[in-house]
Amino acid sequence: MIEVENLVKSFGGFRAVDDASLRIETGSITGLIGPNGAGKSTLFNVIAGVHAPTSGRVRMDGEDITGLPPHELFHKGLLRTFQIAHEFSSMSVRENLMMVPAAQAGETLWNAWFGRGRIAREEAALLRKADEVLEFLTIDHLRDERAGNLSGGQKKLLELGRTMMVDAKIVFLDEVGAGVNRTLLGTIGDAIVRLNRERGYTFCLIEHDMDFIARLCDPVIVMAEGHVLAKGRADEIMQNEAVIEAYLGTGLENKAKA
Ligand code: ADP
Ligand code: MG
């Protein structure tokens, strides 16, 4: 579904992504791991149109999407989750979901939420959709809670929920498990698997927790110093000499969790 070809992203003279090439297959849950500073988030940001690449190509289903802005990628079904923005924190969980289709399409928050025309006409449908998403994620009891009051893990679920308000094809998740307790991490993992199996979402996720990666992801891609070091099943990757060395020989599992 996604093909990245010889991608380079420099900041000043420093190549955060240095000639990275990889493929994300349709229907996969692909893991992206690597030591801190390997260039994982930068790679995501280039694919998702947040940063323009210095050189190289990104294709989606064969079509060149290099450097397209996030809202155009959004229309193609390519989504990257973002933390709930500050201005959304005083709104309810349900309202946060309902504004996604308009807000992500490049409209301002003001137009998206307070504009009287379109949203009002679509409100009933949006409401139904939001409630369906909340039920799917098993957080329907939080629908009227202010988004700012959610725990770290609940916020991650809401971020995932935002991708379900539209017809996503591929979703990029950057450290969805960071600071999330075991129980909620399990819920997030279950939601990812169900979205993959039942709704055909393709996922690419960056995560440090190797248990989480091993449970969900096949294949796993390892990045180090801006390029792709290895790709394979989680168990293969954890035996791979070059990968172990990239994590400085301190044990993949421990280092990865640090
Ligand atoms: P990872 O997500 O794998 O930890 P990042 O992609 O965040 O790595 O960062 C890769 C390297 O690029 C790091 O050395 C980081 O300091 C650098 N970097 C990332 N973003 C910027 C930026 N906007 N300006 C300058 N350097 C950056
Ligand atoms: Mg990162």
Side-chain angles (χ1 to χ4, degrees):
M1 172 171 280
I2 299 289
E3 262 179 295
V4 172
E5 227 178 73
N6 305 112
L7 203 73
V8 176
K9 176 61 190 176
S10 302
F11 296 110
F14 176 73
R15 292 180 160 214
V17 176
D18 189 3
D19 199 24
S21 297
L22 57 94
R23 294 164 64 95
I24 301 166
E25 305 297 337
T26 304
S28 70
I29 304 177
T30 298
L32 184 61
I33 67 168
N36 281 331
K40 305 180 298 293
S41 296
T42 305
L43 177 76
F44 266 29
N45 284 332
V46 171
I47 294 173
V50 179
H51 295 316
T54 305
S55 61
R57 295 273 128 220
V58 182
R59 290 195 184 79
M60 180 176 184
D61 295 326
E63 181 194 350
D64 193 339
I65 58 163
T66 316
L68 289 185
H71 70 269
E72 280 183 39
L73 294 169
F74 177 87
H75 284 300
K76 296 183 185 297
L78 188 158
L79 278 69
R80 183 199 194 294
T81 61
F82 283 103
Q83 289 184 353
I84 309 299
H86 175 71
E87 61 266 37
F88 295 88
S89 61
S90 63
M91 296 180 182
S92 76
V93 167
R94 189 200 243 157
E95 286 165 346
N96 264 274
L97 291 174
M98 288 174 67
M99 70 173 65
V100 169
Q104 292 279 2
E107 295 178 29
T108 65
L109 170 63
W110 194 256
N111 285 340
W113 190 242
F114 300 101
R116 269 178 249 134
R118 207 181 105 205
I119 289 297
R121 288 195 297 279
E122 291 175 0
E123 185 158 329
L126 284 171
L127 198 72
R128 265 199 311 279
K129 181 77 186 162
D131 285 348
E132 185 199 310
V133 167
L134 291 168
E135 231 170 274
F136 184 97
L137 296 174
T138 67
I139 50 170
D140 33 329
H141 57 289
L142 297 174
R143 70 166 56 94
D144 297 320
E145 190 65 66
R146 283 162 51 115
N149 290 344
L150 300 183
S151 74
Q154 291 168 338
K155 279 184 186 149
K156 298 284 181 186
L157 272 169
L158 178 55
E159 287 168 30
L160 193 56
R162 289 165 63 86
T163 71
M164 298 176 62
M165 291 299 293
V166 292
D167 293 322
K169 286 189 187 144
I170 178 160
V171 178
F172 290 85
L173 302 171
D174 194 347
E175 301 198 21
V176 72
V180 175
N181 74 43
R182 283 277 134 199
T183 312
L184 267 175
L185 192 58
T187 308
I188 291 169
D190 292 345
I192 290 170
V193 169
R194 282 188 61 200
L195 285 169
N196 175 254
R197 290 198 189 138
E198 298 172 19
R199 316 238 167 149
Y201 277 38
T202 300
F203 281 98
C204 184
L205 48 108
I206 297 173
E207 190 43 62
H208 284 297
D209 185 324
M210 277 307 292
D211 294 334
F212 188 76
I213 287 281
R215 175 162 94 86
L216 295 175
C217 299
D218 186 21
V220 178
I221 294 170
V222 187
M223 275 186 84
E225 298 176 352
H227 57 264
V228 173
L229 193 65
K231 180 178 183 178
R233 287 200 322 267
D235 58 324
E236 291 167 353
I237 286 299
M238 287 162 81
Q239 311 283 329
N240 182 304
E241 292 283 331
V243 173
I244 293 165
E245 201 169 307
Y247 280 96
L248 294 173
T250 54
L252 176 55
E253 204 133 357
N254 293 334
K255 190 73 182 178
K257 276 179 186 166

